[in-house]
Amino acid sequence: MAVITVLHFDFWNWETTSVVLGFLPTGLAWQAGISLAAAAGWALLMNVAWPSRVEEWAARPSALSDDAAEDPS
Amino acid sequence: MAVLLPAAEAASRTPLLVVGFYLFLLISLGVFSSRLFRGTSADFFVAERSIGPFLLLMSVFGTTMTAFALVGSTGKAWELGNGVYGLMASASGIVHSAVFFLIGIKLWAIGKRHGFRTQVQYFRSRFQSNLLGYLLFPILVALVVPYLLIGLLGAGAVMRGVTVGMFPETFAGTTLPSGRVMFEGAIPPWITGLVVCAVVLFYIFAGGLRSAAWANAFQTIVFMITGVIAFVLISSKLGGMDAATQAVIDNSSDHMTRARIGKLQFVTYMFVPLSVGMFPHLFQHWLTAKKASTFKLTTVAHPLFIGIVWVPCILIGIWAAGAGIMPPGGNPNALLPKIVQTLLQDPYLTGLLTAGILAAIMSSLDSQFVCLGTMFTHDIVMHAAGEDRFSDKAQVMLGRGFIVFVVGVTYLLTFFPPPKIFDLAVWCFSGFAALFPLVFASIYWRRTTRAGAIASVLAMVVTWGTLFYEGLIKPTLAGEEMEGDFLVAGMMPVTLIFAASTAALVLVSLMTKPPSDEHVEQFMVES
């Protein structure tokens, strides 16, 4: 995702007036590609880095005391 | 979102019928979803934490995208060119999903384990500080209320523009100092505001956040489809997509580039979408998720959905520039309705687009109304009086009462809109974004202290207030016309506010006594 974020800053497309597919400005096409890449990147991340213990952690009983929100000072 | 259209040809009432039909469907959905309501406070405020992947995706996306996604993006592209997508949309696609993954899932787990329903409850407990809770509450409310106002005022302006000439014998219109009459026969904003408030109130009063989630899903589908339909028909009217773009190259080549956007502005705009990490209404939607894995679809599909809504609108905006189409009164937000009315000249499409814009507005309004009602109920009344004093049924009644109160107050405020209300949006985003270091540190940095958290919030308030005065209040009082975004050394103001709140949080935390490991452990989610 860090690579996608860096590629988002596409300064080389700043002055480009060319088009892709006959109608899409190159800069816009690049950024639309960034959105697609972001979705693909997150899909990949979900499979390789999913926090599998979160649900088990959330199901544990709370051990916060009733006065946890009280400012002891 | 001010959409001001001048009095034009007497219109048929077909667009109004389309909008009426849409509102009827929304009310019907409200009746349906209210039958799913289980009568408990857990269901009313957080839908019993039972929302599945599709509803979470649609409700989060619908809540995040305001009317700006349709009319604002088109107008902004007409002003600044195609770079608006990179500036606002693709950056959001990356950052929003990152926040859902890194913050949303953890807060869901913490909320589920400890039974939190509001952000203030969480921060109060995490930092063992009532003071922090009482400090955050008015700030969060103050940053949400302008959004509510913008939504209601925007809905009123859209309907007034679309219904010009429909009721010439009932509504006289507005007479300008020059003697010219505007909006003759149009539905005045106070009626639209009343109807929008009544419809939203109808479905959230009955079923709380569960109803809001269902309604958001429906409304998100409506405004996404509306955008795509408008795009296909408009491109056809402009001679096809290739010809429309060629006209931009020939007549307004600046719009093909990012010449009107600063590079530092582009980079620092990346801070703005961090605001979703501190939206109280989004926090509440996250808590509705059934499981952590419910977030998967939302995280993956969000950037795609942004592309589906924004790319067509950006293209329409630059095509309008290439075709020499000018928005009425030079107001960019009036561009899309103007294009639909003049280019397509189809009352059904005008009605559909109006319904789409209202859908985008209402899908944010409902969650914000429920959220503020929930905050007043839990963070003020129940916290002060003691949670044990209220039965489950009484909590629901209290929540409903506060939602009616919030809707009523917001509606009354629309009669006294502050000047430059529509310029407030990016400032509200900046305020929420500058609170992001607080939520991030509360989850990932054990060493964060109560004093550090309070210092961070205060630093945000001071820097935000200073820049807000310089960027909006001062020029407004001086009667100066503001062109473009207010920048500090080429950067978005959020950069400085964010830096100040981060520095205060880190420095003060390091200088003060850390909280006990035993307490912090209760908030460190295992991955």
Side-chain angles (χ1 to χ4, degrees), chain B residues 77-302:
Chain B
W78 175 83
E79 262 186 298
L80 301 178
N82 79 81
V84 169
Y85 185 85
L87 184 74
M88 296 178 164
S90 70
S92 295
I94 297 169
V95 175
H96 286 181
S97 288
V99 172
F100 300 156
F101 185 67
L102 296 172
I103 305 292
I105 293 172
K106 301 257 182 182
L107 287 179
W108 168 83
I110 293 169
K112 184 178 181 190
R113 181 166 174 179
H114 301 304
F116 297 136
R117 291 175 181 174
T118 71
Q119 267 177 324
V120 170
Q121 280 181 326
Y122 163 64
F123 285 113
R124 192 179 260 156
S125 186
R126 168 67 177 84
F127 294 108
Q128 297 172 285
S129 173
N130 278 324
L131 175 62
L132 180 62
Y134 287 125
L135 184 63
L136 270 177
F137 180 86
I139 293 170
L140 295 173
V141 171
L143 291 173
V144 170
V145 165
Y147 264 123
L148 294 169
L149 284 178
I150 288 169
L152 282 180
L153 291 168
V158 168
M159 285 301 291
R160 186 172 60 175
V162 168
T163 58
V164 165
M166 284 188 190
F167 304 95
E169 291 173 5
T170 312
F171 304 117
T174 308
T175 307
L176 301 177
S178 63
R180 185 184 168 204
V181 178
M182 293 274 286
F183 309 116
E184 198 172 359
I187 293 177
W190 69 267
I191 292 182
T192 302
L194 197 62
V195 171
V196 166
C197 282
V199 171
V200 171
L201 191 59
F202 177 83
Y203 66 79
I204 59 176
F205 188 85
L209 202 58
R210 182 182 295 283
S211 291
W214 276 93
N216 281 357
F218 172 63
Q219 292 175 113
T220 303
I221 291 168
V222 168
F223 78 71
M224 287 178 80
I225 290 176
T226 301
V228 172
I229 290 175
F231 172 73
V232 171
L233 295 175
I234 289 168
S235 64
S236 165
K237 286 285 179 182
L238 290 171
M241 293 190 280
D242 293 9
T245 301
Q246 189 57 47
V248 184
I249 296 171
D250 295 341
N251 305 325
S252 186
S253 58
D254 259 13
H255 284 83
M256 297 294 290
T257 72
R258 292 179 204 153
R260 301 180 184 197
I261 299 171
K263 286 180 181 166
L264 257 182
Q265 181 189 9
F266 190 85
V267 172
T268 55
Y269 210 98
M270 200 87 178
F271 284 108
V272 177
L274 286 172
S275 52
V276 298
M278 277 300 292
F279 281 167
H281 43 289
L282 212 53
F283 176 92
Q284 206 172 346
H285 270 299
W286 290 339
L287 296 185
T288 66
K290 190 174 186 179
K291 298 185 289 184
S293 56
T294 307
F295 281 81
K296 285 183 178 177
L297 182 62
T298 303
T299 307
V300 172
H302 195 80

Side-chain angles (χ1 to χ4, degrees), chain B residues 460-506:
Chain B
M460 169 263 167
V461 170
V462 171
T463 47
W464 185 91
T466 306
L467 292 169
F468 182 65
Y469 176 78
E470 288 293 326
L472 194 65
I473 303 291
K474 199 172 160 185
T476 303
L477 292 176
E480 294 171 12
E481 277 298 315
M482 290 174 287
E483 285 195 10
D485 289 322
F486 173 71
L487 301 174
V488 182
M491 297 183 290
M492 295 296 292
V494 65
T495 317
L496 297 182
I497 312 170
F498 189 93
S501 70
T502 305
L505 185 139
V506 173

Side-chain angles (χ1 to χ4, degrees), chain A residues 13-66:
Chain A
N13 281 327
W14 220 259
E15 301 293 337
T16 311
T17 54
S18 58
V19 293
V20 176
L21 303 174
F23 73 97
L24 205 52
T26 303
L28 180 57
W30 178 272
Q31 291 295 336
I34 290 289
S35 294
L36 285 173
W42 285 115
L44 184 67
L45 209 66
M46 293 296 146
N47 286 314
V48 299
W50 179 251
S52 54
R53 293 164 67 187
V54 168
E55 286 180 14
E56 185 263 326
W57 184 92
R60 290 182 204 164
S62 172
L64 284 177
S65 57
D66 288 343

Side-chain angles (χ1 to χ4, degrees), chain B residues 408-436:
Chain B
V409 168
T410 308
Y411 177 65
L412 290 177
L413 284 175
T414 61
F415 289 92
F416 314 98
K420 309 279 182 187
I421 177 73
F422 295 104
D423 293 328
L424 277 179
V426 75
W427 286 101
C428 293
F429 271 104
S430 300
F432 283 121
L435 290 171
F436 180 82

Side-chain angles (χ1 to χ4, degrees), chain B residues 340-495:
Chain B
V340 171
Q341 277 191 331
T342 57
L343 219 54
L344 303 181
Q345 294 178 331
D346 184 320
Y348 288 98
L349 281 173
T350 302
L352 185 64
L353 179 78
T354 309
I357 294 170
L358 289 182
I361 291 171
M362 292 164 80
S363 65
S364 299
L365 278 179
D366 52 12
S367 304
Q368 290 160 340
F369 281 142
V370 174
C371 169
L372 289 186
T374 308
M375 287 169 69
F376 273 108
T377 304
H378 288 87
D379 300 334
I380 299 297
V381 177
M382 287 177 62
H383 180 71
E387 306 225 345
D388 298 340
R389 281 194 57 186
F390 298 93
S391 68
D392 205 55
K393 205 168 183 178
Q395 289 182 36
V396 175
M397 291 309 293
L398 208 55
R400 282 176 170 155
F402 273 118
I403 287 171
V404 173
F405 169 75
V406 169
V407 173
V409 168
T410 308
Y411 177 65
L412 290 177
L413 284 175
T414 61
F415 289 92
F416 314 98
K420 309 279 182 187
I421 177 73
F422 295 104
D423 293 328
L424 277 179
V426 75
W427 286 101
C428 293
F429 271 104
S430 300
F432 283 121
L435 290 171
F436 180 82
L438 174 66
V439 69
F440 187 84
S442 73
I443 294 169
Y444 289 101
W445 194 34
R446 290 170 178 266
R447 187 69 179 71
T448 316
T449 66
R450 178 190 314 133
I454 291 171
S456 177
V457 175
L458 291 176
M460 169 263 167
V461 170
V462 171
T463 47
W464 185 91
T466 306
L467 292 169
F468 182 65
Y469 176 78
E470 288 293 326
L472 194 65
I473 303 291
K474 199 172 160 185
T476 303
L477 292 176
E480 294 171 12
E481 277 298 315
M482 290 174 287
E483 285 195 10
D485 289 322
F486 173 71
L487 301 174
V488 182
M491 297 183 290
M492 295 296 292
V494 65
T495 317

